[in-house]
Amino acid sequence: MERRRFVVFSDLDGTLLDHGTYSFEPARPALEALAEAGTPLVLCTSKTRAETERWRTSLGNAHPFIVENGGAVCVPDGYFPAGPAFDGREAGCGIIAFGRPYAELRRALEDIRAATGLPLRGFGDMSVGEIADRCGFALGDAALAAERGWDEPFVGVDAAGLPSVVREAEALGLSVVSGGRFHHLVGGSDKGRAVRALSDLYAASLGPVRTVGLGDSPNDEPMLRAVDVPVLVRRPDGGVIDLPGLPGLVVAPYAGPEGWREAVLGLLRDGA
C-alpha cells in the first residue's frame, strides 16, 4: 500500500494557543516533532492574514495558511511547483478567496441589526482599544485583528437571540459561525471548503496525502468534517463541543496546547 504524507490543519485560539494566555509553549515538543518529520502544519484560523503572519513568524512556520474562518487561503510564493490560479497577492502570498468582501459583510450586519433590534457590534464598530480589551490583546495585535477581509466578528446577542440573527443572515445569503469569543458573519466560506481546496493542492504536489485537523469550537466543525483524522481539543472547562456522526473522532486529553501536544504526538507515534 502506498504510504501517504501527512498534512496537519490546526485552529489557533483555544487549540494550539492557550485560550487565556495565547501561549503555545506547551505544544513545542509536538511542533518540533512535526518539523522533524517534514509534516506541513497549516494554520486554519478566524484570525486575519496580518495576525496569522505574526503567529507564523513566532512558530517558525513557512507553510500555507487559512484565515478568517476559511475566507481565504494564503500560499507563500513558490510553495507549490505548479502554482494555482490566485485571486490576488498580498505580502508574498498568493490569495485564493472564498468569502464575501468585508464591506459587504459590514452592510449586512447593519441590516441584521435593524431587522432584529439587537445591539449587534462588529469589529468595524469597535476601536482598536475595545478589540484589545475584548480579546486580551496588546494594541498592536488588536490593530492587526481589525484588518479584516472576509469575516466580521460580532457581539451583542445571547443564545436566545442568536436564531433570529442566523435567519436574517441566511436571508441575505450569509451565515453565522461561532468561535471561542465571538460570533462571525461570513459569506460563501467555511474552514472545510478551504481545507479541501488546500488538500487538493497538496495532493497534486505530493501525491496522496492523509489529513489531520485539530480544533475546539463550533466554527472548526467544517474543518474537522473535511479531514481524514479529526481531533477535538477540550475547552478550558474540560468539556468538548458536540459533533454527532463524525467517524474516527479523536478527543484530546487536555485543553489548549497541552491537549494539542498529546494528540499530535500520539498520532505521530501511531501513524494516524
Side-chain angles (χ1 to χ4, degrees):
M1 180 181 296
E2 184 177 7
R3 183 174 178 81
R4 293 189 174 195
R5 291 281 303 275
F6 288 107
V7 178
V8 175
F9 296 87
S10 178
D11 177 45
L12 281 174
D13 291 354
T15 300
L16 177 52
L17 304 181
D18 183 89
H19 179 80
T21 68
Y22 295 99
S23 171
F24 61 83
E25 193 61 32
R28 190 174 293 278
L31 290 165
E32 292 172 350
L34 288 176
E36 184 176 346
T39 299
L41 171 61
V42 175
L43 305 180
C44 183
T45 176
S46 62
K47 293 183 181 298
T48 65
R49 183 198 59 75
E51 284 182 282
T52 310
E53 290 279 19
R54 181 256 196 205
W55 284 108
R56 289 175 71 240
T57 298
S58 298
L59 291 161
N61 184 288
H63 300 292
F65 53 105
I66 297 167
V67 299
E68 298 191 38
N69 283 310
V73 171
C74 306
V75 180
D77 290 343
Y79 187 87
F80 290 113
F86 294 120
D87 298 304
R89 312 195 78 81
E90 291 183 18
C93 288
I95 306 296
I96 306 172
F98 294 105
R100 300 263 279 273
Y102 184 64
E104 196 173 318
L105 298 177
R106 287 289 303 148
R107 290 192 295 270
L109 187 65
E110 293 177 7
D111 292 341
I112 295 169
R113 181 167 49 226
T116 61
L118 291 167
L120 306 178
R121 299 182 68 249
F123 270 27
D125 301 304
M126 300 178 192
S127 67
V128 169
E130 182 178 350
I131 294 172
D133 289 342
R134 288 185 177 275
C135 298
F137 286 171
L139 287 175
D141 292 333
L144 298 180
E147 295 181 19
R148 312 205 69 81
W150 304 276
D151 166 297
E152 175 67 323
F154 67 91
V155 297
V157 59
D158 59 16
L162 188 59
S164 65
V165 175
V166 171
R167 285 194 299 271
E168 294 297 332
E170 290 176 346
L172 296 171
L174 306 174
S175 57
V176 174
V177 297
S178 298
R181 285 182 170 83
F182 303 98
H183 303 294
H184 297 256
L185 184 64
V186 298
S189 60
D190 61 43
K191 289 187 177 185
R193 184 179 176 192
V195 164
R196 286 189 291 271
L198 195 46
S199 297
D200 288 344
L201 291 175
Y202 272 111
S205 175
L206 302 176
V209 295
R210 186 162 173 79
T211 55
V212 178
L214 299 102
D216 74 310
S217 296
N219 63 335
D220 295 315
E221 181 174 354
M223 171 182 69
L224 297 176
R225 293 192 181 277
V227 297
D228 298 310
V229 183
V231 179
L232 193 55
V233 175
R234 294 186 182 276
R235 306 299 292 261
D237 63 1
V240 294
I241 62 172
D242 185 28
L243 293 179
L246 184 54
L249 179 66
V250 176
V251 178
Y254 310 116
E258 290 87 356
W260 195 95
R261 176 194 65 224
E262 295 305 304
V264 169
L265 290 177
L267 291 169
L268 288 173
R269 182 176 58 248
D270 299 338

